[in-house]
Amino acid sequence: MSSYSRPQRITVLGSTGSIGVNTLDVLSRHPERYEVFALSAMSRVDALLAQCLQWRPRFAVMPARALAQDLRLKLREQGSKTEVLDGAESLSEIAAHPDVDMVMGAIVGAAGLAPCLAAARAGKRLLLANKEAIVVGGKLFMQAVEQGGATLLPIDSEHSAIFQCLPEDRKTWPQRIDHIVLTASGGPFRQRDPATLAEITPEQACAHPNWVMGRKISVDSATMMNKALEVIEARWLFGLAPEQIKVIIHPQSIIHSMVVCRDKSVLAQLGTPDMRVPIAYGLSFPERIEAGASRLDLLSGPSLSFEDADERRFPGLYLSWQALRGPEGATAVLNAANEEAVEAFLTGRLRFDQIHRINCESLEAIQPEAGECGAVAGLLGLDARARRHAQGLIAGLVA
């Protein structure tokens, strides 16, 4: 039974992606607890149309005006009362709307920074799947959470696992934590000869062995850049020094991450690899609700194994610590370069093994300017500058 007197109204940013779809699946199991207030998508008009017809939200947002008009006309034909908004600023509007209780931040990439910041400043319960909001925003983002009185709940399975292993009182965390261990599956190329990485196709990179994810995050998992971004995210979420964050390969994806305490006790969260579990936890915290996931059977399941995160095989992972030790804004540079490199790989303009080169050279070349990270406009300017540099590097390699 919910502790709330009425259904909680939720905005789902990025509702047609894998996290958004899983969020709606969990919500469908608890219609008495939750009400969909607004949905957004970047480009999938028909998918958002179907969601709007099913969930009947008050608002739907597509940033591109032409796509929003297409959705508006199709909803009107169906007699839907959902109001369609367009423009990037509309994402922030539905995230910070006074009638919203919760926001699922599931937009991929730096585009999620502004609406997630808006939700934080408005004091919402923010379920954060968009790790780039913290990777890019860092201190600014966490200040917005504190000043707005928002409740920040991580949705990445690894960060949710760490959060679940810690007490609700955040003030006790520094006295409890020696370090944390983020687990990584190793992706589809964990045992592949690094000398053959140039031959990898986008289809191979997107075939994750354990998780069903979008194409961008699947490529990031294959390069381990996804884990690099998670290291950066963990630094801000849990207030840790870079050296307090470790990564190990755990191919079965059963232990989702661990906390090593000051007394050297190790606390771990286990479960089947199903994103509905951390989503349900974020929605219901501090309660727990049915997520729809299958039960973990330790007797018939696979044996658990662990491996070192080999720097020769996964050099991108180690850029996270380099960026964290660099000037403020370095993590935003790394994220922007990686987004451009992954897009170039997915569209056939860059080899898989060249993604790391673009990231590394961009991180070394782009120096954040004083005061650039103190506001969203400055961060987005830095993001754009890093993207232009990465695009130039990509064009040079292609030529």
Side-chain angles (χ1 to χ4, degrees):
M1 186 67 181
S2 172
S3 59
Y4 297 109
S5 59
R6 61 166 177 79
Q8 295 291 281
R9 303 185 187 101
I10 182 167
T11 285
V12 183
L13 301 170
S15 63
T16 61
S18 60
I19 295 295
V21 168
N22 278 316
T23 298
L24 294 175
D25 180 84
V26 175
L27 295 179
S28 70
R29 301 169 189 276
H30 306 278
E32 75 289 350
R33 294 180 64 116
Y34 306 106
E35 174 185 329
V36 174
F37 178 83
L39 300 172
S40 84
M42 181 59 69
S43 60
R44 299 177 62 191
V45 173
D46 289 340
L48 186 55
L49 171 66
Q51 290 179 343
C52 288
L53 294 175
Q54 177 182 355
W55 291 96
R56 293 179 291 181
R58 190 186 307 182
F59 297 105
V61 174
M62 300 202 80
R65 181 168 296 179
L67 295 177
Q69 180 63 9
D70 187 13
L71 176 65
R72 190 175 291 116
L73 293 174
K74 289 180 176 179
L75 283 171
R76 191 175 299 162
E77 291 172 357
Q78 297 291 331
S80 171
K81 295 182 179 179
T82 295
E83 181 179 351
V84 179
L85 307 176
D86 59 66
E89 67 281 356
S90 295
L91 295 172
S92 295
E93 182 181 336
I94 61 171
H97 196 286
D99 291 343
V100 168
D101 301 299
M102 302 183 187
V103 175
M104 167 58 79
I107 295 175
V108 176
L113 173 61
C116 287
L117 266 174
R121 288 169 173 157
K124 306 302 182 185
R125 171 178 286 217
L126 176 55
L127 283 58
L128 191 67
N130 173 261
K131 63 176 65 65
E132 292 89 351
I134 288 187
V135 171
V136 175
K139 183 190 296 185
L140 180 68
F141 186 86
M142 297 308 294
Q143 287 174 343
V145 170
E146 183 176 357
Q147 292 167 2
T151 301
L152 180 61
L153 296 166
I155 299 302
D156 272 345
S157 61
E158 296 82 0
H159 301 96
S160 177
I162 298 297
F163 188 82
Q164 292 182 55
C165 289
L166 293 170
E168 291 181 30
D169 185 358
R170 292 172 180 260
K171 295 178 182 178
T172 68
W173 291 359
Q175 289 75 41
R176 291 175 178 267
I177 301 174
D178 181 82
H179 65 276
I180 65 172
V181 179
L182 302 178
T183 56
S185 70
F189 311 129
R190 177 175 61 89
Q191 296 179 313
R192 182 160 178 154
D193 182 354
T196 67
L197 295 182
E199 306 165 7
I200 289 171
T201 66
E203 290 69 30
Q204 291 172 323
C206 290
H208 196 280
N210 299 334
W211 299 93
V212 177
M213 304 180 293
R215 286 169 66 80
K216 194 270 182 182
I217 195 173
S218 294
V219 175
D220 282 348
S221 180
T223 63
M224 285 280 273
M225 273 303 301
N226 189 49
K227 203 58 52 178
L229 299 179
E230 288 175 8
V231 169
I232 297 166
E233 184 181 6
R235 177 264 178 271
W236 292 106
L237 282 174
F238 305 110
L240 301 171
E243 57 270 17
Q244 287 182 284
I245 307 168
K246 317 293 183 185
V247 174
I248 61 171
I249 304 297
H250 171 50
Q252 296 79 28
S253 296
I254 298 299
I255 295 178
H256 296 300
S257 278
M258 296 173 274
V259 175
V260 180
C261 302
R262 290 290 180 90
D263 62 3
K264 302 305 182 286
S265 297
V266 180
L267 307 178
Q269 188 264 336
L270 287 72
T272 53
D274 190 324
M275 284 306 301
R276 291 176 295 179
V277 174
I279 289 169
Y281 185 72
L283 286 167
S284 62
F285 175 81
E287 304 172 35
R288 289 185 183 263
I289 58 174
E290 171 60 40
S294 59
R295 188 187 304 275
L296 175 63
D297 187 345
L298 291 172
L299 294 179
S300 62
S303 299
L304 306 185
S305 62
F306 306 92
E307 303 166 9
D308 182 44
D310 180 6
E311 186 170 2
R312 191 173 76 94
R313 190 180 302 275
F314 302 116
L317 169 63
Y318 293 85
L319 292 178
S320 59
W321 288 283
Q322 179 181 333
L324 282 172
R325 294 188 178 105
E328 186 177 1
T331 57
V333 171
L334 177 60
N335 178 74
N338 183 64
E339 286 189 19
E340 292 298 323
V342 171
E343 175 64 20
F345 167 68
L346 287 172
T347 53
R349 295 179 292 122
L350 196 69
R351 296 198 316 262
F352 181 84
D353 64 319
Q354 292 174 322
I355 294 174
H356 175 66
R357 177 176 172 180
I358 300 300
N359 294 343
C360 189
E361 292 185 10
S362 297
L363 184 60
E364 293 175 352
I366 301 299
Q367 293 300 309
E369 298 173 359
E372 205 167 17
C373 303
V376 175
L379 283 168
L380 294 180
L382 174 61
D383 176 86
R385 192 152 56 91
R387 288 177 188 277
R388 288 193 297 271
H389 184 83
Q391 290 164 0
L393 293 174
I394 292 166
L397 289 175
V398 172

